[in-house]
Amino acid sequence: MEMLQKDMEMMADTAHPEIPAEFFALAGEKIVIETTDLDFYYSAESHALKKVNIRIPYRKVTAFIGPSGCGKSTLLRCFNRMNDLIPGSFLKGKVLIEGEDIYKNGIRLEELRKKVGMVFQKSNPFPMSVWENVAFGPRVNGITNKSELEEMVESSLKQADLWKEIKDRLQASALDLSGGQQQRLCIARTLANKPDIILMDEPASALDPISTGKIEETINELKEEYTIVIVTHNMQQAGRISDYTAFMMLGEMVEFDTTKKIFTNPKEKMTEDYITGRFG
Amino acid sequence: MLQKETKPKHYQKVIRADRWARRLITFGGYGIIVSIAAILLFLAYQSLPLAKNAAIETLFTFPASRGPAKALVVGIDPYQEIFYILDESGYIQFYKVAGTEPVSQAQLPLSGNEKILCAAKGSLASDLFAAGTDSGRIITAEVRFQLDYSGEGRVVIPSLSVKEVWQIPAGGDTLPNHVEKLAFSRNEDGSRFYAWVDHQGALWVRSYDADEEVDYLHPLSQYPGESSVTALTISNHGENLVVAAADGVMRWFGLKDFEKVALRDEWSISNSPVTALSYLLGDQAVAIGTGAGAVEVWFPVRTPSNLMKFRQIHSFRSHSAAVAHIYHSARNRDFLTIDGEGAAQLHYSTTGKTEVQFPRPDFPIAAGAFAPKSDGLLFVDAQKRFTLFRLDNPHPESTVKSLFGKVWYEGYPGPEFVWQSTGGSDEFESKLSLIPLIFGTLKGTLYALLFSIPIALLAAIYVSQFAPFRLSRIVKPTVEIMAALPSVVIGFLAGLYFSTLFEEYLMSTFVLLIFLPLFFLAGVAAWRAVPESYRMKIRPGFEVLFIIPVILIALQASLSLGHPVENFLFGGNFQQWLYTTWGVTYETRNSFVVGFALGFAVIPIIFTVSEDALSNVPKSLTSASLALGASRWQTVRRVVIPAASGGIFAAIMLGLGRAVGETMIVLMATGNTPIIDLNPFNGFRAMSACIAVEIPEAPVGGTLYRVLFLTALLLFIFTFVLNTLSSLIGERLRKKYARF
Ligand SMILES: Nc1ncnc2c1ncn2[C@@H]1O[C@H](COP(=O)(O)OP(=O)(O)OP(=O)(O)O)[C@@H](O)[C@H]1O
Ligand SMILES: [Mg+2]
């Protein structure tokens, strides 16, 4: 074990080529999210992200993979500033979304989070009706017109592949839905805000294979219109749905490339070991 | 091998411990239920006798037919051992209860075949009576019961002493003058008042002033011919005379001034002539019986022009024949009506209730009497047969109507809810309406909650959702310490210190109520105007520090503006203005003060419980809301508060329960005046405080004692219902919002 640890650290050191590999991979892509030397500390002692540089392409699915505790969720939460809620945490470096530094003064968090939606690992519908759940985002963002809301609710539920199943139960409590339905409801809820980017933190990890399949289908349909960043522990899933994959390790970005490249011919041995299941 | 041996032993131990723990817990649980049920039962047991109706029981009945002479007066000693009868031939015979022969007898000093025509008792405390004869004499005499303990046990020895024999003034003609009708009373000074009708139908009043030893004689000329007197009564203290005439005219004369008789009121009773009249205990109410058998109670009521006018207040179950006699109790407002056919009924004036209908005897009743302690009733019929009833009527003044409804009490301008349990004398009419107390409790609770709910909930929201951890770590235990403050300390401070402070700075307080939100909003606006780069430097949650100086400025401004505002708006004296403009007297210990003090006791409960509920709303929900672009406040309002609504509701209900049951604070911080008035500038009397104040003075087993127990029972039920409601509704809210 110790050997392996040392090995990995050594390799991590050497994984900084002058020109990032993804520079070539991303040729022709429009970049939506870009970080430069992003450091994140939960506290002065807990250094969760180390000099992360990543560029996430427009209307593609980007998957974050890596062993537990490597900082995938942390990185994801840096994109909509959900980490701000953690007392004592701080951040160095830059995060640009559509070219704008989202950590500079004068950024309105509400606007940022409306633009950068998030789906959590554990489904967290509000204890309200299905309809109210979906309409929540538009409402807090100032839409009061009932017919407009109706329309948004319907289209969001359709996009999330949930409309057919629950169109008769819109007034039922969201908590009465099945786990899979609840998670798709959370996706619909995020979609209702008409975000540009959707961050998904292991959205299917708590679900059965069929529900997982449905979520994956949904994601496949959504990537036509949205930039999606997804954290997953399921290699097959990453392979199936993502266009790009980032492999993280101990708070560092080890390798970022097209999914195909990462899965067939990774540059780093660590990546290969992880993907083939030799550790993790 | 070793394991196999030890395991069963070990398990046995665990099982045994388990069983004991379960038993102990079960015991504890049932113990609580049993003790609550026991308290409830005890309260109900103590207050239940209030609901009991009057009961009578025939103790004995026997013929004591010594001569055919008609009985005029009967009476019995306080121990109900000896009773007496005065008949028209002037004989007084004393009988032992349960005996058949008279134990002794005496005679009034009558001459020749002089006969007694009428007689009336004239004292609440003794068996003093006056008898009018057909020779125009009025004989005043007293029956005394002496107790002799010299032999074996107690022996009651009756005797008669004649006080006075007095000849009424001669009429205009030669016939010997008769005393046809007579009313008599002796007051506590010994002064005596007689009113009688002579055989010419003329009404006379004689007052004997015991201090000066002078007689005053007043012929009253209102009653010639057709309008002859049908009934008359003098009040127990001799100050009032009420006379009924055949033409239906009733007159009320004042006898207070020995030297002249004043006509105080005159009114008509249209339907049927009054055949019997009696002042009741308290000298205000007069019971009236008519020829048609109607029974009514009238008493004087102050008119808007400040005159006292008799009005009909109650009417009771009527008799089928003309009412012949009315006797009243010397203990309470019971009175007995007897009609010409022998039917008798017992009524209670205050409640307007006819309590007992006596079994009809074979012959008409000639006379009746209350036992001195009002625990028995004695009747003698036309055949001189006696019946003694035991009367069990311990709480006649409490009925559902008198406890919860409006009652027209003597001296009041109309039916009202009044709590005034004790008065200066035994003749006081106790007023036991629970409505002012219930109202007081609700009023105190209302003001306390108006004050505490906003503060406690806002504080809970701030501490749970916005405050930096370091701040909330200080605030929470501080508030919990507040809960530990003994309420007597809060009540003491509020009643003695804060109330005067509040009175002094009343205007400043009102100005502050306006200034605080204004300054606050101005402060927020100013905060908004601060460039963002500066604002960002302050950590979220610490913005509150910015508002403290704003509040201090508002406080200072209000303090200095209090007097100018009072001068400008209220002519320099708010209390005076309040009284002249609204007719409201300002009490130092008013509902504002109690609301504040009681609120102070309630805030920690509401705060702690709702803060817990708010903090327990899962982070995942707030994260979801924030991630959807909701602001912090939107998140709190739309997600956190609804999700915590069950807990918040429970918190408010707990606060409500505390406010309802709180005793010391409402006792010490209000004037405890049992008035029904929502006005915040006067006080109130809460149920709990009333119990605390009055139970030490309430005779055990008495009506007040039981009514206070009933109040306690109501409080208990009140809090019980509140708690049950709060769990039910809280449960529903939790089902709806809090299944995470
Ligand atoms: N709220 C927090 N406070 C302090 N440290 C945290 C917090 N959240 C995460 N960490 C630490 O930061 C590091 C990265 O955590 P993160 O949740 O980003 O990992 P992850 O890659 O998402 O793991 P997983 O796959 O198990 O979800 C871990 O070492 C974790 O212990
Ligand atoms: Mg994670």
Side-chain angles (χ1 to χ4, degrees):
Chain A
M1 262 322 267
E2 253 172 48
M3 273 292 291
L4 188 65
Q5 190 84 23
K6 273 225 175 94
D7 240 23
M8 274 160 39
E9 269 166 28
M10 257 176 53
M11 282 190 230
D13 276 339
T14 54
H16 281 294
E18 293 304 299
I19 303 166
E22 77 263 24
F23 183 84
F24 303 103
L26 286 167
E29 297 282 11
K30 189 175 149 197
I31 303 303
V32 193
I33 304 175
E34 182 172 3
T35 69
T36 39
D37 290 343
L38 181 65
D39 276 295
F40 186 84
Y41 301 82
Y42 278 106
S43 62
E45 302 88 53
S46 166
H47 192 177
L49 294 179
K50 294 166 190 159
K51 294 256 177 302
V52 171
N53 288 288
I54 188 169
R55 304 201 296 158
I56 292 172
Y58 182 66
R59 291 198 175 167
K60 289 278 163 4
V61 177
T62 305
F64 288 176
I65 58 171
S68 188
C70 68
K72 308 178 293 291
S73 300
T74 308
L75 180 56
L76 205 61
R77 285 199 299 263
C78 285
F79 298 158
N80 67 348
R81 293 189 57 175
M82 286 302 275
N83 282 330
D84 289 18
L85 299 174
I86 296 159
S89 66
F90 58 97
L91 168 143
K92 285 182 199 158
K94 273 195 176 142
V95 180
L96 304 181
I97 290 186
E98 290 169 358
E100 192 176 15
D101 181 357
I102 60 164
Y103 281 90
K104 77 171 186 219
N105 284 339
I107 286 290
R108 278 188 50 83
L109 285 180
E110 292 81 20
E111 273 165 30
L112 169 70
R113 288 172 185 162
K114 179 180 177 301
K115 198 161 74 179
V116 186
M118 186 165 208
V119 176
F120 296 80
Q121 176 174 6
K122 210 169 141 250
S123 67
N124 50 1
F126 299 123
M128 310 168 186
S129 72
V130 170
W131 193 91
E132 282 171 320
N133 260 279
V134 184
F136 185 91
R139 275 173 158 180
V140 297
N141 288 301
I143 294 171
T144 50
N145 185 316
K146 181 93 180 165
S147 58
E148 197 177 342
L149 287 172
E150 296 281 2
E151 203 181 298
M152 284 174 131
V153 168
E154 184 176 337
S155 69
S156 310
L157 284 172
K158 278 181 176 158
Q159 277 183 314
D161 240 345
L162 199 58
W163 178 252
K164 269 193 227 109
E165 284 164 66
I166 59 167
K167 64 170 182 287
D168 303 324
R169 294 166 60 194
L170 294 181
Q171 294 313 319
S173 170
L175 303 175
D176 291 340
L177 302 183
S178 77
Q181 286 172 331
Q182 286 190 10
Q183 191 60 300
R184 276 180 287 146
L185 178 65
C186 291
I187 294 175
R189 187 172 66 182
T190 307
L191 293 175
N193 254 349
K194 298 204 190 316
D196 300 336
I197 301 162
I198 303 175
L199 310 174
M200 295 185 173
D201 193 349
E202 304 181 46
S205 67
L207 302 178
D208 65 294
I210 297 195
S211 299
T212 306
K214 283 197 169 163
I215 299 245
E216 285 178 12
E217 253 170 58
T218 308
I219 292 171
N220 261 327
E221 282 160 27
L222 290 178
K223 74 176 168 195
E224 307 289 313
E225 289 176 60
Y226 301 92
T227 304
I228 295 174
V229 186
I230 181 168
V231 173
T232 179
H233 277 284
N234 181 331
M235 291 308 121
Q236 287 78 15
Q237 188 176 58
R240 278 197 299 272
I241 60 173
S242 68
D243 305 308
Y244 291 87
T245 298
F247 173 61
M248 293 180 70
M249 185 84 194
L250 296 173
E252 294 187 35
M253 183 59 63
V254 178
E255 190 169 356
F256 177 71
D257 214 322
T258 60
T259 301
K260 200 173 153 207
K261 180 94 189 297
I262 295 273
F263 276 78
T264 51
N265 185 19
K267 235 181 11 240
E268 304 292 333
K269 180 164 183 306
M270 234 183 324
T271 314
E272 190 178 348
D273 287 351
Y274 181 72
I275 285 168
T276 52
R278 259 173 267 167
F279 75 93
Chain B
M1 279 317 278
L2 195 78
Q3 268 193 347
K4 258 192 182 164
E5 272 169 357
T6 53
K7 247 190 179 168
K9 240 189 193 169
H10 173 71
Y11 276 135
Q12 264 173 14
K13 235 174 162 179
V14 170
I15 287 168
R16 218 176 308 134
D18 232 42
R19 199 183 301 139
W20 274 106
R22 200 169 49 232
R23 275 182 200 158
L24 206 70
I25 291 165
T26 315
F27 176 78
Y30 280 113
I32 287 169
I33 294 174
V34 165
S35 48
I36 285 178
I39 291 172
L40 191 68
L41 283 178
F42 178 71
L43 293 177
Y45 171 78
Q46 286 293 345
S47 44
L48 216 57
L50 287 174
K52 224 163 69 182
N53 281 329
I56 50 165
E57 180 191 349
T58 313
L59 281 182
F60 83 110
T61 168
F62 70 85
S65 45
R66 175 66 54 105
K70 186 181 155 204
L72 291 169
V73 172
V74 288
I76 189 162
D77 80 292
Y79 296 100
Q80 298 191 17
E81 289 183 8
I82 302 282
F83 60 88
Y84 66 90
I85 170 174
L86 167 71
D87 65 23
E88 57 184 355
S89 56
Y91 279 103
I92 290 211
Q93 289 170 321
F94 297 100
Y95 294 87
K96 225 184 165 86
V97 167
T100 51
E101 287 295 307
V103 286
S104 63
Q105 75 175 25
Q107 200 190 4
L108 292 181
L110 297 185
S111 58
N113 50 6
E114 189 179 4
K115 269 201 164 23
I116 297 175
L117 294 180
C118 52
K121 286 197 188 176
S123 167
L124 290 174
S126 64
D127 281 89
L128 181 77
F129 62 88
T133 72
D134 58 1
S135 323
R137 297 199 298 167
I138 295 176
I139 299 164
T140 309
E142 185 172 3
V143 170
R144 292 227 176 98
F145 298 102
Q146 260 148 353
L147 297 180
D148 181 10
Y149 289 99
S150 58
E152 269 178 39
R154 179 184 64 214
V155 179
V156 180
I157 302 166
S159 64
L160 176 76
S161 77
V162 176
K163 302 281 182 200
E164 186 195 56
V165 179
W166 190 78
Q167 180 73 45
I168 65 170
D173 50 32
T174 50
L175 278 166
N177 212 342
H178 289 183
V179 178
E180 300 276 355
K181 286 189 162 57
L182 178 65
F184 165 56
S185 172
R186 183 185 66 186
N187 72 13
E188 48 279 12
D189 305 330
S191 297
R192 299 197 296 270
F193 303 85
Y194 302 84
W196 69 93
V197 178
D198 66 19
H199 73 289
Q200 290 172 318
L203 177 66
W204 295 78
V205 170
R206 172 192 169 212
S207 322
Y208 170 74
D209 182 346
D211 283 345
E212 312 273 326
E213 299 187 12
V214 203
D215 253 331
Y216 297 92
L217 199 61
H218 309 280
L220 298 177
S221 53
Q222 282 93 341
Y223 300 95
E226 295 290 281
S227 54
S228 61
V229 173
T230 54
L232 68 173
T233 178
I234 293 183
S235 63
N236 298 300
H237 298 288
E239 293 179 352
N240 304 288
L241 164 69
V242 171
V243 183
D247 55 3
V249 177
M250 306 278 298
R251 288 190 184 86
W252 169 30
F253 298 98
L255 309 183
K256 205 166 190 171
D257 184 349
F258 289 108
E259 291 173 37
K260 79 176 205 284
V261 173
L263 177 65
R264 298 197 59 187
D265 188 18
E266 187 177 298
W267 71 102
S268 285
I269 286 188
S270 47
N271 21 30
S272 143
V274 172
T275 48
L277 271 179
S278 175
Y279 256 103
L280 302 182
L281 190 73
D283 283 10
Q284 293 258 339
V286 175
I288 291 176
T290 72
V295 179
E296 293 164 2
V297 159
W298 292 58
F299 55 71
V301 173
R302 196 173 292 282
T303 61
S305 50
N306 211 17
L307 288 172
M308 297 302 279
K309 286 252 166 222
F310 261 91
R311 288 195 53 177
Q312 185 194 334
I313 309 298
H314 304 293
S315 90
F316 300 83
R317 189 188 290 146
S318 43
H319 287 268
S320 55
V323 178
H325 306 283
I326 301 180
Y327 302 98
H328 74 272
S329 157
R331 287 295 175 102
N332 55 32
R333 274 156 177 78
D334 263 334
F335 64 98
L336 186 66
T337 54
I338 297 170
D339 69 23
E341 292 173 350
Q345 295 184 339
L346 184 71
H347 317 271
Y348 198 78
S349 164
T350 307
T351 56
K353 189 174 159 193
T354 300
E355 300 181 294
V356 179
Q357 279 185 297
F358 288 86
R360 187 176 284 244
D362 302 335
F363 300 96
I365 293 168
F370 276 88
K373 292 179 186 160
S374 278
D375 50 356
L377 289 159
L378 183 68
F379 292 133
V380 56
D381 70 15
Q383 297 294 306
K384 285 178 94 177
R385 282 193 312 193
F386 296 94
T387 313
L388 179 62
F389 290 100
R390 197 167 63 86
L391 173 62
D392 183 21
N393 191 19
H395 312 294
E397 60 271 65
S398 75
T399 60
V400 173
K401 186 173 169 274
S402 72
L403 291 174
F404 298 102
K406 282 188 172 178
V407 173
W408 197 334
Y409 294 105
E410 291 166 17
Y412 278 72
E416 276 175 40
F417 298 115
V418 186
W419 173 274
Q420 195 181 356
S421 57
T422 44
S425 75
D426 294 344
E427 296 180 22
F428 178 76
E429 185 177 34
S430 45
K431 303 162 183 72
L432 300 174
S433 175
L434 295 180
I435 300 297
L437 307 182
I438 295 173
F439 179 88
T441 291
L442 294 180
K443 181 179 177 185
T445 309
L446 174 76
Y447 281 99
L449 292 186
L450 277 182
F451 171 68
S452 58
I453 288 181
I455 291 183
L457 287 190
L458 288 176
I461 290 170
Y462 174 72
V463 167
S464 68
Q465 305 297 317
F466 297 97
F469 178 65
R470 267 182 295 167
L471 191 63
S472 59
R473 210 176 43 184
I474 301 167
V475 171
K476 274 162 76 171
T478 312
V479 174
E480 272 150 29
I481 286 174
M482 218 169 116
L485 258 182
S487 60
V488 67
V489 175
I490 300 177
F492 179 75
L493 285 176
L496 291 179
Y497 178 68
F498 177 72
S499 59
T500 48
L501 199 71
F502 179 71
E503 190 171 7
E504 197 179 333
Y505 293 104
L506 191 62
M507 270 305 118
S508 302
T509 315
F510 289 151
V511 175
L512 184 67
L513 282 182
I514 300 167
F515 271 23
L516 204 57
L518 283 183
F519 274 66
F520 194 86
L521 290 179
V524 171
W527 173 249
R528 283 270 167 94
V530 173
E532 194 148 4
S533 48
Y534 286 100
R535 270 197 280 156
M536 284 296 175
K537 291 213 174 100
I538 295 187
R539 293 252 291 285
F542 277 104
E543 302 93 335
V544 71
L545 297 179
F546 179 78
I547 219 74
I548 288 174
V550 176
I551 291 174
L552 289 179
I553 294 169
L555 198 66
Q556 183 53 45
S558 318
L559 278 181
S560 49
L561 270 178
H563 275 295
V565 166
E566 191 165 8
N567 285 333
F568 181 69
L569 284 180
F570 305 111
N573 188 336
F574 175 72
Q575 276 97 316
Q576 187 65 41
W577 178 85
L578 198 66
Y579 186 73
T580 48
T581 318
W582 299 101
V584 172
T585 32
Y586 181 91
E587 279 183 48
T588 305
R589 299 179 193 176
N590 55 42
S591 305
F592 270 125
V593 176
V594 189
F596 177 78
L598 199 52
F600 204 74
V602 169
I603 282 174
I605 295 176
I606 302 185
F607 172 84
T608 315
V609 177
S610 54
E611 203 274 340
D612 271 356
L614 289 164
S615 305
N616 284 339
V617 171
K619 269 261 147 27
S620 67
L621 289 187
T622 32
S623 304
S625 170
L626 290 172
L628 285 168
S631 66
R632 277 205 293 175
W633 174 240
Q634 280 175 324
T635 303
V636 168
R637 196 164 56 87
R638 289 170 182 260
V639 177
V640 179
I641 292 179
S645 56
I648 293 175
F649 181 80
I652 291 175
M653 281 301 176
L654 279 176
L656 188 65
R658 169 79 201 266
V660 165
E662 174 56 48
T663 309
M664 282 326 282
I665 293 176
V666 286
L667 185 68
M668 302 181 80
T670 67
N672 281 311
T673 38
I675 48 172
I676 302 187
D677 187 351
L678 257 181
N679 196 300
F681 294 107
N682 47 37
F684 54 84
R685 175 181 291 208
M687 296 200 268
S688 53
C690 187
I691 297 173
V693 172
E694 303 208 5
I695 203 88
E697 293 162 21
V700 176
T703 305
L704 176 59
Y705 179 84
R706 299 210 185 281
V707 168
L708 291 175
F709 267 96
L710 178 68
T711 312
L713 182 67
L714 279 184
L715 258 182
F716 191 99
I717 293 172
F718 213 65
T719 36
F720 192 80
V721 167
L722 271 183
N723 280 338
T724 313
L725 256 180
S726 86
S727 340
L728 286 180
I729 298 178
E731 193 54 37
R732 289 190 68 180
L733 285 174
R734 226 163 293 142
K735 269 210 183 113
K736 185 155 176 227
Y737 290 116
R739 290 179 295 145
F740 311 116

